[in-house]
Amino acid sequence: MESALNRIMLTASEKNIGAIKAYKKAKFKTEGIMKQAFYREGNFHDKIVMAILREEWTDS
């Protein structure tokens, strides 16, 4: 039976350059930016929205 999983989505802090680089290496694509999506240490920060589709992770 084939899995119904077709899309995996994540968000990463704009300042987490290491995570963003790793996700891109794993073929995740940037879909957008959620402006000032969270508050930490007295400031608002953006979240990067990334995703990968089944056809992208199964494509060799």
Side-chain angles (χ1 to χ4, degrees), residues 9-59:
M9 187 212 95
L10 60 87
T11 63
S13 168
E14 65 178 331
K15 295 189 180 272
N16 194 344
I17 304 302
I20 294 168
K21 186 176 178 179
Y23 296 138
K24 285 183 178 181
K25 187 174 182 179
K27 300 184 181 180
F28 279 78
K29 305 271 189 320
T30 300
E31 293 191 330
I33 300 171
M34 297 186 325
K35 305 296 282 179
Q36 298 184 2
F38 73 104
Y39 186 81
R40 182 177 292 155
E41 298 175 358
N43 295 301
F44 287 98
H45 300 274
D46 295 350
K47 283 282 200 175
I48 309 300
V49 179
M50 303 180 82
I52 187 169
L53 301 175
R54 172 195 301 277
E55 62 198 37
E56 295 167 338
W57 81 70
T58 58
D59 185 29

